[in-house]
Amino acid sequence: MCGIIGYIGPNDATPYLLEGLRRMEYRGYDSAGVALYNGTGLEIRRAAGKIAKLDAVLTAEPITGSPGIGHTRWATHGPPVERNAHPHMSGDGTVAVVHNGIIENSTVLRAALEGLGYVFKSDTDTEVLAHLIEELFEGRLEDAVVDALRRVEGTYGIAVISSKDPGKIVAARKGSPLLIGIGEGANFLASDASAILTHTRQVVYLNDGDVAVIEKDRYRVIDIDAQPQRRSVSRIEWDLSEIERGGYDHFMLKEIFEQPRSIENTMRGRLILEDGTAKLGGINLSHEQLMKIDNIVITACGTSWHSALIGELFLEELARIPTEVEYASEFRYRNPIVNERTLCIVISQSGETADTLAAMREAKRRGARTLGLVNVVGSTIAREDDGGVYLHAGPEIGVASTKAFTSQVIALALFTLKLARKRDLSVVRGREIAQALDALPALIEAALKGAPEVERIAEEFKDATNFLYLGRGYNFPAALEGALKLKEISYIHAEGYPAAEMKHGPIALIDEQMPVVFVAPHDSVFDKIVSNIQEVKARGGKTIVITSRDEPSLAGLMDHEIRIPETLDMLMPIVASVPLQLLAYYIAVKRGANVDQPRNLAKSVTVE
Ligand code: AGP
């Protein structure tokens, strides 16, 4: 959501902080700031808007020194104006704090601090931390931070520096990711590995409850009771080129076009064609445990929730296990039927989504085994699940998820194949699915060739104010995902619906102004969806039909046709996603929207 960066070392911190903030700008981007120790005291610079604004402020009024901390903000408390941008300073200017998350008891703490004479300058919950740490400071910054955090309710990833104990950055996490980057003669702190990757690949992921004391040539981790903690060092394996645009106008376009490779990477070494199954090293489920599963709950948010809907269909059709899909944000506030014979599959690109993480913890608390389908290696969900399947889709920078979605569906297909072959699925059918998966990258490549036609269609509909997306069976979740993509980045209202359900309400919306996207490949429900297309045409709606064959029954029903290659019914939503993503992308670009950083959204939603 927001981004945190810190540097401590022999050099001036500012360039490191700015570079890190730029690399994290995709995560949260309504304001930014830095604070440095300049040798005698703390100085801050902040600006509303993009990092370029902060850069301009720093050029006009430079500051130098070390250590330094920086932040990009995604507003929760108070509008995105300079006074609410982080870092926040304590009353006497000796403590500076950056914070991701929400301090839930900030109102009470604020009142108490105001009672002690502290004057608040911002509307944020974070400012209480700065004053509280100043109030509790008795000589060592880490002691004051620990003392302050004991009084705080809520979630946080924080970085703190103080002019009264200037040789360190103190960081702490509870519900918001942070890692230490280990450099040579210098150390880093970041909420996202991309922020420090040009300087080091050696990182220490902090756990919830950890407090880190980072000096230029060493670091240590303690817990909230000041007890030392051992944390292992991990190596970041991906490359910087993967988080650069590589000649594409936007990350989103690059990521759409990467899909033949990203899904190949999700499958690499996992498909066993001759046995019609999959090998998944990290699931940590024995044959007996797999056989004992009575029911499956899949929990996720947003795009990941859409892939879960496809997974539900896979698991019920092929493994014959009752499966339910739950919005992670709702899951823990009801009384779900989850026990030790339940497998809870948790899907998250970032591995940090607060709602999804909380749902996973709740499922564990109820005795379920958890299986994480996660893209970001070392993320919290990946570290806390009982077993997992990494997506290996590579870093996804565009806020609108594309390649992670298709890789999630692939991972679900692989897991289903493994489970189903143990339970109900014949080797013949297993082989057929494995071969179809193996052939998929080439089909995605072919679907991408349709980009120019999709762009022409986008030109015609770029000024539409509403869109309907309809699909049936496996392609209903694809329709939901197509609608989500469009609204996220173009700000056009779009709804996804099961095509046959349209006549029970949304059909009232159809008129000559209403574009309706049908995801209608030639599958087992094709004839059914043709009737739904007729219903729209009969009311003057404009149809954009994603289909896979020349079909006489479609003659005269398609205002626009987008042709995609065919595969098994269950894998069609993966292929159909390509034109759906491209349509959203081109419409958004033609409307002049900021595709990679759409308004109000953040890549990783770490608040509830
Ligand atoms: C996707 O385009 C969205 N930006 C959003 O719905 C996202 O899928 C959701 O926030 C869940 O994120 P996660 O997969 O990282 O958990």
Side-chain angles (χ1 to χ4, degrees), residues 558-572:
M558 302 186 287
D559 292 302
H560 295 277
E561 178 185 1
I562 300 173
R563 193 62 82 83
I564 52 173
E566 254 173 42
T567 174
L568 299 180
D569 285 11
M570 64 178 278
L571 303 180
M572 278 315 294

Side-chain angles (χ1 to χ4, degrees), residues 323 475 588:
T323 304
N475 293 304

Side-chain angles (χ1 to χ4, degrees), residues 3-6 24 177-181 188-196 214:
I4 287 178
I5 174 81
M24 289 188 295
L178 277 181
L179 54 89
I180 303 170
F188 301 83
L189 174 76
S191 53
D192 184 327
S194 62
I196 56 166
I214 306 160

Side-chain angles (χ1 to χ4, degrees), residues 49 103 157 222 243 247 254 276 405 466 537 543 584:
I103 307 297
I222 54 176
I243 53 168
K254 175 183 176 235
F405 172 72
N466 290 290
K537 269 320 281 174
T543 57

Side-chain angles (χ1 to χ4, degrees), residues 378-400:
S379 57
T380 310
I381 291 175
R383 285 182 296 130
E384 288 193 18
D385 58 22
D386 296 315
V389 181
Y390 274 126
L391 304 181
H392 297 311
E396 189 181 67
I397 306 294
V399 164

Side-chain angles (χ1 to χ4, degrees), residues 271-341:
L271 266 184
I272 307 175
L273 292 173
E274 43 311 347
D275 295 341
T277 186
K279 187 171 74 190
L280 297 168
I283 62 174
N284 296 338
L285 284 161
S286 64
H287 173 77
E288 290 66 37
Q289 284 169 316
L290 284 171
M291 298 308 286
K292 267 199 211 147
I293 297 168
D294 276 351
N295 69 315
I296 295 178
V297 172
I298 317 181
T299 188
C301 300
T303 288
S304 301
W305 187 80
H306 295 153
S307 71
L309 293 177
I310 300 174
E312 176 184 21
L313 300 176
F314 289 167
L315 287 158
E316 293 203 334
E317 181 181 329
L318 301 169
R320 309 295 300 147
I321 300 179
T323 304
E324 262 184 279
V325 175
E326 297 274 0
Y327 282 115
S329 52
E330 293 294 318
F331 180 76
R332 70 187 154 135
Y333 295 112
R334 54 187 212 83
N335 194 6
I337 301 173
V338 166
N339 56 42
E340 52 293 334
R341 292 181 76 100

Side-chain angles (χ1 to χ4, degrees), residues 301-304 348-350 353 356 399-401 408 484-485 488 605:
C301 300
T303 288
S304 301
S348 174
Q349 186 288 128
S350 62
T353 303
T356 311
V399 164
S401 187
Q408 286 166 349
L484 178 67
K485 286 287 84 83
E488 277 189 297
V605 183

